[in-house]
């Protein structure tokens, strides 16, 4: 059995960085430009990795370099490892009294427009040593990314503490019926769930936490919906309503600007009222870095300020004891 030289085929940082970059941009040429290397050097690093692992990591297609099944697994693991190395470098080189580090935070898609810029601005001003990475998504996706270690903290909803997450409740938010402006919904005139169901519906896709909330209210009141289309995109829900395909139900924060601009009309849902609980989730495992604690505190402050100032429609602050929806 041949013995490999200890200096050969040893996985290193440069190889992992090259693999992840090629996977992200889909091209060895583009990856070489981003890494400030010549193309043959990037190709050689990928080949050395493939030789060590004994599998092909990429296949060449008309659309560019695409990870194989094995490559997808390797890229995912390598990305996390590189993230942890970046974090370690930042934490080990702080100036005295300065909090530094890399923090990846998740924001609910519906609240991202409200919170992202103020959060980034506040941290840039008060803690310039923190490198912030912001990802948006639906609650289920964000929770999975937290569990997988891809996020350090995230806003979620309809969740109490789990074996893997510490959860802090922040605010309760009412859901609204959303319709074209011609249907004349008004914020001061709530509409019953039965009235909403009398119209064709554009609904969140099954498995979406918002859909679970709506279906739960429907089951309790024995109201049936005429669903014309389902989507996992808040933006598409609004576009389809605008296009006349039906009404929908969304959190107030997700449609405030559309209502203010006269693009859509909306009214709170009643009989029953439907609420979602906004929480902050942080993994239980491992030490919480100082930078992540700072970002968590600032995100909590931004949520509370937005609610207190009325910029988060039909939301109210809650404490830890308030974890139910109805």
């Amino acid at each position: 059995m041949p013995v490999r030289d200890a200096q050969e085929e040893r996985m290193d940082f440069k190889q992992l960085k090259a693999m992840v970059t090629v996977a992200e941009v889909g091209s060895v040429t583009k990856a070489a430009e981003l890494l400030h290397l010549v193309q043959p050097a990037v190709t050689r690093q990928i080949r050395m990795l493939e030789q060590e692992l004994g599998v092909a990591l990429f296949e060449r297609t008309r659309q560019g370099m695409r990870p194989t099944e094995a490559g997808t697994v390797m890229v995912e693991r390598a990305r996390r490892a590189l993230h942890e190395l970046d974090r370690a470098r930042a934490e080990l080189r702080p100036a005295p009294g300065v909090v530094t580090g890399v923090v990846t935070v998740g924001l609910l898609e519906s609240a991202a427009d409200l919170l992202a810029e103020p959060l980034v601005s506040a941290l840039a001003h008060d803690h310039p040593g923190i490198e912030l990475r912001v990802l948006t998504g639906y609650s289920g996706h964000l929770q999975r990314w937290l569990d997988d270690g891809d996020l350090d903290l995230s806003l979620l909803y309809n969740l109490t503490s789990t074996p893997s997450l510490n959860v802090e409740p922040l605010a309760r938010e009412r859901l609204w019926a959303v319709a074209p402006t011609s249907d004349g919904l008004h914020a001061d005139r709530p509409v019953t769930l039965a009235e909403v169901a009398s119209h064709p519906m554009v609904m969140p896709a099954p498995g979406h936490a918002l859909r679970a909330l709506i279906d739960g209210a429907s089951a309790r009141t024995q109201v049936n919906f005429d669903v014309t289309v389902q989507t996992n995109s808040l933006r598409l829900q609004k576009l389809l309503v605008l296009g006349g395909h039906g009404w929908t139900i969304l959190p107030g924060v997700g449609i405030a600007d559309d209502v203010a601009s006269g693009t859509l009309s909306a009214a709170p849902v009643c009989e029953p009222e439907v609420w979602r609980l906004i929480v902050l989730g942080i993994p239980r495992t491992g030490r919480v870095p100082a930078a992540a604690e700072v970002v968590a505190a600032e995100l909590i402050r931004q949520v509370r300020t937005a609610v207190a100032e009325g910029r988060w429609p039909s939301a109210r602050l809650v404490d830890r004891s308030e974890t139910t929806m109805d």
Side-chain angles (χ1 to χ4, degrees):
M1 181 176 179
V3 178
R4 292 179 178 175
D5 189 308
Q7 299 303 315
E8 293 181 352
E9 299 182 349
R10 178 177 295 173
M11 194 179 305
D12 63 20
F13 173 85
K14 291 181 180 179
Q15 293 171 0
L16 296 180
K17 186 70 173 177
M19 177 185 64
V20 170
T21 306
V22 170
E24 289 177 345
V25 302
S27 162
V28 172
T29 302
K30 292 180 181 177
E33 293 175 357
L34 291 173
L35 296 170
H36 305 291
L37 297 172
V38 294
Q39 182 175 337
V42 175
T43 300
R44 183 170 62 253
Q45 289 168 348
I46 298 297
R47 286 178 178 169
M48 289 174 67
L49 263 181
E50 291 180 326
Q51 290 171 3
E52 178 177 355
L53 295 170
V55 295
L57 297 175
F58 291 92
E59 57 183 353
R60 188 178 298 277
T61 71
R62 291 182 178 180
Q63 289 73 40
M65 297 289 283
R66 184 174 65 186
T68 61
E69 184 175 348
T72 299
V73 173
M74 191 62 190
V75 167
E76 179 182 350
R77 302 294 185 184
R79 185 181 287 117
R80 293 178 190 168
L82 294 172
H83 173 69
E84 289 300 318
L85 286 172
D86 287 344
R87 171 184 285 173
R89 286 195 188 92
E91 290 181 4
L92 293 174
R93 297 183 304 196
V98 176
V99 178
T100 64
V102 179
V103 180
T104 306
V105 59
L107 297 180
L108 295 163
E109 184 186 18
S110 56
D113 288 352
L114 177 66
L115 298 173
E117 195 284 325
L119 177 67
V120 171
S121 292
L123 290 168
H125 182 270
D126 297 335
H127 300 280
I130 294 177
E131 180 183 331
L132 190 64
R133 300 174 180 178
V134 181
L135 302 181
T136 65
Y138 293 107
S139 187
H141 297 153
L142 295 171
Q143 184 180 349
R144 184 169 66 251
W145 296 341
L146 271 176
D147 289 337
D148 288 345
D150 295 325
L151 293 176
D152 298 302
L153 60 141
S154 182
L155 291 184
L156 306 166
Y157 65 88
N158 285 25
L159 188 71
T160 56
S161 292
T162 71
S164 61
L165 297 177
N166 284 316
V167 170
E168 179 171 355
L170 301 178
R172 279 165 55 94
E173 177 185 20
R174 195 170 176 182
L175 299 190
W176 290 51
V178 183
T181 53
S182 58
D183 288 337
L185 296 183
H186 291 279
D188 58 352
R189 296 204 296 268
V191 296
T192 67
L193 193 64
E195 167 62 19
V196 176
S198 68
H199 298 268
M201 292 295 295
V202 177
M203 292 285 270
H208 191 302
L210 185 61
R211 179 63 179 270
L213 265 180
I214 297 168
D215 286 347
S218 170
R220 291 193 301 274
T221 54
Q222 297 184 333
V223 168
N224 296 315
F225 294 107
D226 174 18
V227 180
T228 60
V229 62
Q230 304 176 65
T231 176
N232 66 349
S233 166
L234 179 146
R235 184 181 67 87
L236 285 180
Q237 279 180 257
K238 295 191 289 187
L239 283 175
L240 290 169
V241 170
L242 189 61
H245 296 279
W247 288 21
T248 194
I249 297 176
L250 287 170
V253 69
I255 44 91
D257 289 344
D258 304 278
V259 173
S261 66
T263 304
L264 296 168
S265 65
V269 174
C270 66
E271 298 181 23
E273 296 180 358
V274 187
W275 296 76
R276 68 174 183 172
L277 179 69
I278 307 296
V279 305
L280 177 66
I282 299 177
R284 292 181 184 272
T285 56
R287 177 182 65 87
V288 179
E293 292 181 344
V294 167
V295 174
E298 182 59 37
L299 181 55
I300 290 171
R301 191 182 75 82
Q302 292 294 337
V303 170
R304 290 176 173 166
T305 299
V307 174
E309 293 180 352
R311 292 184 286 112
W312 196 312
S314 68
R316 63 183 181 84
L317 298 174
V318 300
D319 56 36
R320 289 180 179 273
S321 63
E322 211 170 344
T323 58
T324 58
M325 291 290 91
D326 299 309

